[in-house]
Amino acid sequence: MATLCQIKAPGPNRQRYPLARQVRKPSCVSYPGRWILLLGCLLLAGLASAGEQSLHDLQGKPRSLVEFEGKWRLFNYWATWCTPCLEEIPELVRFHARHKDRDAVVIGINMEQLDGEALAFFIRELAINYPIWISPPTQQSALGAIPGLPTSFLVSPQGEVVARQVGVVSARMIERFIERQGSRKVEPSHP
């Protein structure tokens, strides 16, 4: 399995840590190890449950998952430190630009405790063109489980969660899924 680790030779801390002379330790944790460590920390932190999920925009205005009803909505849970999240942002920007005025929107839900100014700077730097909302870190949202980042939920115009993707999505992947859904009748979730 590929990792980002390289073994480091003993460094300047060998005086403080005498065993460092004899033991060579990895300089970082593998990707799966990082995810497991992060998820464990999140669990121990007593994270918010789906019923308590609080969403707001960068200005602090409360937001709701039912906004943009009548359009396809892709809710993308992400974080600035998440490499796969950063890899998919150009695809989400492309998808949102093509569909926002017609039939679908992307809503990014950042799951960090960043200050609004830092997050706004990050959004400008990456030229993110879709709304970004903020949520406390959680493993469960009103849409479903969030086992890792990025996690995306596709919600139909009728408000039904029709798909969840853990990992990177592409604009074409989302478009193909919506096209397939269009070939079958999607019943409204409310009677």
Side-chain angles (χ1 to χ4, degrees), residues 47-58:
L47 304 171
S49 70
E52 300 167 6
Q53 187 176 16
S54 168
L55 297 170
H56 60 279
D57 61 21
L58 294 175

Side-chain angles (χ1 to χ4, degrees), residues 1-5 29-37 81 83-84 87:
M1 179 176 300
T3 68
L4 296 178
C5 295
V29 179
S30 67
Y31 266 131
R34 284 183 182 181
W35 291 111
I36 291 167
L37 179 62
W81 50 260
T83 303
E87 291 170 2

Side-chain angles (χ1 to χ4, degrees), residues 23-124:
V23 180
R24 296 173 68 192
K25 298 180 181 182
S27 62
C28 66
V29 179
S30 67
Y31 266 131
R34 284 183 182 181
W35 291 111
I36 291 167
L37 179 62
L38 173 67
L39 291 175
C41 290
L42 293 176
L43 277 174
L44 293 174
L47 304 171
S49 70
E52 300 167 6
Q53 187 176 16
S54 168
L55 297 170
H56 60 279
D57 61 21
L58 294 175
Q59 290 73 41
K61 179 182 173 189
R63 305 311 294 233
S64 169
L65 295 173
V66 298
E67 288 184 42
F68 304 103
E69 203 164 45
K71 287 187 174 191
W72 288 94
R73 289 161 282 160
L74 182 81
F75 293 98
N76 176 256
Y77 289 83
W78 69 288
T80 60
W81 50 260
C82 167
T83 303
C85 299
L86 302 179
E87 291 170 2
E88 77 178 348
I89 286 174
E91 289 289 320
L92 297 175
V93 165
R94 194 171 4 268
F95 177 82
H96 185 74
R98 279 189 263 198
H99 295 274
K100 68 179 176 174
D101 295 326
R102 296 180 323 184
D103 58 354
V105 295
V106 173
I107 298 149
I109 301 178
N110 182 272
M111 297 187 55
E112 299 172 274
Q113 302 290 327
L114 289 179
D115 93 358
E117 201 172 300
L119 185 56
F121 176 79
F122 189 85
I123 291 165
R124 281 191 307 274

